[in-house]
Amino acid sequence: MKTWSEMRAFPLAIRLLLVNQLGVNIGFYLLIPYLATHLGEDLGMSAAVVGIVLGVRNLSQQGLFILGGSAADRLGARGVIIAGCALRTVGFALFALGDGLPVLLAASILSGLAGALFNPAVRAYLAAEAGDRKAEAFALFNIFATTGALVGPLIGSALLLVDFRASALTAAAIFALLTAAQAVVLPAREVPASKGSVLGDWREVLANRAFLAFSLAMVGMFTMENQLYLLLPDGARRATGWDGAAGIVFLVGTLANLTLQMRITRSLKERGTRARWVAIGLALMGAAFVPPMAVAGASGTGGGAGRAALALVPVLAGALFLYVGVMIAQPFVMELIPEFGRAELTGTYFGIFYVVSGIAAAVGNTVVGWAMDAGAHGAPWLPWACCLAFGLASAAGVGWLHRLRALPVRAVAVTA
């Protein structure tokens, strides 16, 4: 109930963007997690071709965030959000209608470009509309995104009982509805006249060394957050011997997010600095990987349901700590980003933040993947230890930037 009352306290534009993010994640996660299986098993493509199609989609999104951010600044976030959702409608529809490699590559490029457009634009619009309540707005944003990431795969699993095309067409329909809703309801805002060139904007942001250092410090947050879809589900399956254990990880996290996110953000906002809470959140995210070490390498194939449930407890504890760490850190991270520079470049700051952090996190995920492979030969604790190190290093990085006074300080209203 607290989540809904908080949501109603925001203007219509923000409420629509929250529902939009719920729909975006439902549409994305009901399709993309099953795409590789469709390409390999249904269409008989080789692993190399599957990797190309998936890689093109990811590269189109991660590499072009900067374009979406600049477009939001210069053309207005509303139009960019609508264009992004429309492009993803077309991209996902192509996955349903085409079986040839050229069509699938076009679908991958369009769906990736769509994400590159609306992701920084939504955050820029949200930051502008929320005023001094950015932390609360991004906390709600996190709730809706997390809920969508849970609901999407459940719907996708049900639709796969029909076929993959049903999933793709449903995802396309969701994005078509989002496109129409935003075109009709999302208010247009006046866009200030641009000064200088796009390249000049990029140079200005990239010359902000404090911002770049902060973006690199966030490699730990993105790397650890991605383990909700890789390391923790794998740990749950290995601990219990049951494939469905991964779903319990997501369920626990989503329930915690729904019940705790707003309470955490509101209670912390006026207590201490944002840098302090970001660092604490990152450290907690790293510490979340300590409990699963207790069952790393254990097999859940014997001992019955009681033993499997007991073995799952450390993994669920780790997932819960990780979600709480995200709930502490992420709203304040999102609140800080636009304060590094001019308000006219909010979209560009978000775009470059996601490019820098995305590339760094890709390297981090490669390290975790290597550790999982290496750990399979006698060191099952290794990937968990890597994630712990990422968390502590990121927390230390933010603490160091805070000591240098390199991070924006929240303005305090002065009254007569």
Side-chain angles (χ1 to χ4, degrees), residues 9 14 16 30 72 77 123 137 197 207 210 236 261 268 277 281 344 369 374-375 386 414:
I14 289 182
L16 178 60
L30 74 82
R123 287 157 177 80
S197 65
Q261 176 69 83
L268 300 182
W277 296 123
E344 296 84 356
C386 283
V414 178

Side-chain angles (χ1 to χ4, degrees), residues 332-387:
F332 298 114
V333 171
M334 295 295 104
E335 186 184 32
L336 278 167
I337 291 169
E339 296 182 13
F340 275 98
R342 294 187 287 125
E344 296 84 356
L345 294 182
T346 295
T348 304
Y349 270 95
F350 273 113
I352 291 180
F353 174 78
Y354 278 102
V355 170
V356 173
S357 299
I359 293 172
V363 175
N365 287 334
T366 301
V367 172
V368 174
W370 167 84
M372 291 176 70
D373 290 337
H377 303 288
W381 51 268
L382 186 59
W384 308 98
C386 283
C387 291

Side-chain angles (χ1 to χ4, degrees), residues 239-277:
T240 63
W242 176 43
D243 288 340
I248 299 178
V249 171
F250 297 125
L251 180 61
V252 166
T254 303
L255 292 176
N257 189 265
L258 285 169
T259 56
L260 298 177
Q261 176 69 83
M262 292 310 302
R263 290 181 173 86
I264 288 173
T265 302
R266 293 195 69 182
S267 65
L268 300 182
K269 183 177 179 180
E270 305 303 331
R271 302 177 184 178
T273 64
R274 292 173 294 187
R276 172 190 177 189
W277 296 123

Side-chain angles (χ1 to χ4, degrees), residues 186-212:
L186 194 63
R189 295 289 183 258
E190 184 179 351
V191 182
S194 302
K195 298 178 181 179
S197 65
V198 172
L199 289 178
D201 292 346
W202 295 354
R203 283 194 294 268
E204 179 179 336
V205 176
L206 292 174
N208 190 328
R209 289 186 289 181
F211 168 71
L212 291 182

